Amino acid sequence: MVEQDLRLLISVVVSAEDERQAHDACRDLVDRIGGRVVEAADCSDEEPGCWSVTIGKDLPAVQVHNDAAALARSVRTFVRELAPDSPLPRVCCEPPTAWTVLDDPELIGKLVAGAERLLVEAWSEQAPFQPMSYQEPTAPAPAPAEHTTRLRLRVDVAVQHPAGAQWQARALASRVTEAAAITEVTQGGDGVSVHLDLGRWPQPPQQAVTDAAEALGRPEWSPMELAADGTVTQRWLDLLRPTSGITSLELVADRVETEVAWPTEDEPPVWREPGS
């Protein structure tokens, strides 16, 4: 067995007029679980008059022999402690994360006044909002002009809430690069698609896609597709068609002939309503 650090993320969707009011509404829950607020986001575009508050909590290192079992058990244990008199909801698992959604208005209202639902996630490896020590930024080494490639990734996730899909997509993309930036989020009947920019790479497009697919660690990728303009595309599909978790991936690489403005973490991702 190996020793593993786990991290909980609890996201609360709460009715609030501003960030301060959202923080105040979650203060009792933060104190109760011994966590800290790591993000507050205005989600009024999705649901008018609401904010999403994410609380992080580190768990003690545990001895585990199965990553998925440890993740799911952490979620169930937390929910059982949080609401001992309520039935346990279904827990979904796609390592490095497991999650469940509490949407009982009566239960959630007792935990956080004005809350509508609560998402509980357990993460291994590198979780979103992981505390990091500050380092002076350094300029990246320029890529050779003849081999300047732009690499993009689309992650399709069977999940109801866009926030859960974004965190899973970020965790997966971190296997390729720590500089991945979400550029677009779309929602359809089967789940949520998260589009990420993985930056520029010194390899030619075909090699960049090959290296990225290997880093993502999924078996049986489709043959590469080479377009007339030199764009390279490769896809992975979970043939079991799971009802939760990551269902398919798409890598796209093309040459960059001129300097372009790349999206940064400070730029919000584009959100498209279903059917737009």
Side-chain angles (χ1 to χ4, degrees):
M1 293 192 296
V2 297
E3 190 174 81
Q4 187 175 63
D5 291 323
L6 299 179
R7 180 168 171 80
L8 285 176
L9 291 175
I10 302 94
S11 299
V12 186
V13 177
V14 60
S15 298
E17 296 181 359
D18 52 34
E19 183 173 354
R20 178 181 294 276
Q21 192 175 96
H23 276 257
D24 290 344
C26 297
R27 182 175 293 118
D28 289 344
L29 178 62
V30 172
D31 294 340
R32 176 177 176 177
I33 67 176
R36 66 182 185 87
V37 174
V38 294
E39 185 186 59
D42 185 356
C43 52
S44 56
D45 289 342
E46 183 181 349
E47 296 182 27
C50 78
W51 280 72
S52 174
V53 179
T54 301
I55 304 165
K57 176 180 173 63
D58 293 321
L59 299 178
V62 294
Q63 294 287 332
V64 299
H65 65 277
N66 183 291
D67 188 51
L71 289 166
R73 184 168 58 253
S74 296
V75 172
R76 293 192 186 96
T77 300
F78 176 80
V79 172
R80 189 179 293 112
E81 293 174 350
L82 193 65
D85 298 327
S86 298
L88 286 174
R90 179 170 177 264
V91 176
C92 304
C93 191
E94 174 68 28
T97 182
W99 69 96
T100 192
V101 177
L102 303 179
D103 55 8
D104 182 344
E106 183 177 354
L107 168 63
I108 303 304
K110 294 177 180 178
L111 298 172
V112 178
E116 301 175 12
R117 61 179 179 270
L118 189 146
L119 170 68
V120 179
E121 300 170 279
W123 286 83
S124 60
E125 299 180 6
Q126 183 172 354
F129 314 113
Q130 192 75 272
M132 298 179 64
S133 59
Y134 176 77
Q135 295 181 346
E136 289 291 338
T138 58
E146 68 274 15
H147 286 165
T148 301
T149 295
R150 179 190 184 188
L151 188 60
R152 289 165 287 164
L153 172 66
R154 190 192 75 228
V155 182
D156 297 327
V157 187
V159 66
Q160 293 182 349
H161 305 294
Q166 291 183 50
W167 295 332
Q168 291 186 68
R170 284 185 186 275
L172 186 66
S174 69
R175 300 180 182 180
V176 181
T177 175
E178 297 296 335
I182 293 178
T183 58
E184 187 176 350
V185 180
T186 59
Q187 187 167 19
D190 296 332
V192 177
S193 294
V194 182
H195 302 253
L196 301 104
D197 187 344
L198 303 183
R200 297 173 67 169
W201 297 81
Q203 300 93 341
Q206 287 177 287
Q207 188 61 50
V209 167
T210 298
D211 293 347
E214 182 178 355
L216 291 173
R218 306 282 163 149
E220 300 181 0
W221 285 78
S222 68
M224 285 188 187
E225 300 175 13
L226 181 60
D229 62 358
T231 298
V232 176
T233 304
Q234 194 169 26
R235 300 179 179 88
W236 172 84
L237 174 66
D238 190 333
L239 298 178
L240 297 178
R241 300 191 177 278
T243 57
S244 64
I246 296 172
T247 59
S248 63
L249 306 171
E250 182 182 74
L251 281 165
V252 179
D254 47 30
R255 290 187 182 275
V256 179
E257 302 296 339
T258 58
E259 188 67 25
V260 295
W262 300 99
T264 67
E265 292 293 339
D266 295 330
E267 298 176 4
V270 177
W271 171 255
R272 292 183 181 176
E273 294 291 340
S276 63

